[in-house]
Amino acid sequence: MPYMRNGKRDYKRENALYNSKPEQIKARTERTTLRREAIKAGKASVGDGKDLDHKKPLSKGGANSLSNSRMTTPSANRSFSRNADGSLKSQTSKKERKKK
């Protein structure tokens, strides 16, 4: 991973090189707006410990709307399981394993 050294994540470098880019700021703003809409609609609540997931991913042409969102557990929504040293346990996400 480009932001990991010796198994530790370098947050300062990650923020400087990735999170501060205009396209990442825009994407974060859209995610925050969707979460606020879900709270207003009663679909989510503040501090519920759940993730707002896109049914059809934005990277595959999905919309950033309430109709394309659902509440899931963080473990089911987030990327891949990792070992203590930061290496991937599996190349298949939990969502993909559930589909099989």
Side-chain angles (χ1 to χ4, degrees):
M1 291 189 60
Y3 306 114
M4 290 191 69
R5 293 191 177 142
N6 300 325
K8 297 202 177 191
R9 193 166 171 181
D10 187 353
Y11 290 100
K12 193 178 272 189
R13 186 166 190 257
E14 182 177 346
N15 286 329
L17 297 177
Y18 182 73
N19 293 335
S20 61
K21 288 185 176 181
E23 59 270 12
Q24 291 307 316
I25 293 171
K26 183 179 181 222
R28 186 171 56 246
T29 303
E30 289 175 357
R31 288 191 304 269
T32 303
T33 303
L34 180 61
R35 179 74 183 195
R36 287 185 184 147
E37 287 177 19
I39 290 170
K40 281 184 188 177
K43 203 172 182 182
S45 60
V46 177
D48 59 4
K50 301 279 186 173
D51 280 2
L52 197 61
D53 179 30
H54 290 91
K55 294 175 188 173
K56 183 174 183 181
L58 298 176
S59 62
K60 296 188 177 171
N64 204 13
S65 63
L66 279 176
S67 62
N68 187 39
S69 65
R70 62 182 168 205
M71 299 305 292
T72 59
T73 61
S75 61
N77 187 42
R78 297 185 187 167
S79 185
F80 303 101
S81 297
R82 296 190 181 271
N83 296 316
D85 66 351
S87 62
L88 291 176
K89 286 183 182 177
S90 172
Q91 291 288 337
T92 309
S93 70
K94 289 181 182 178
K95 277 189 207 174
E96 290 172 330
R97 277 184 254 146
K98 283 183 181 179
K99 287 181 184 179
K100 290 181 181 181

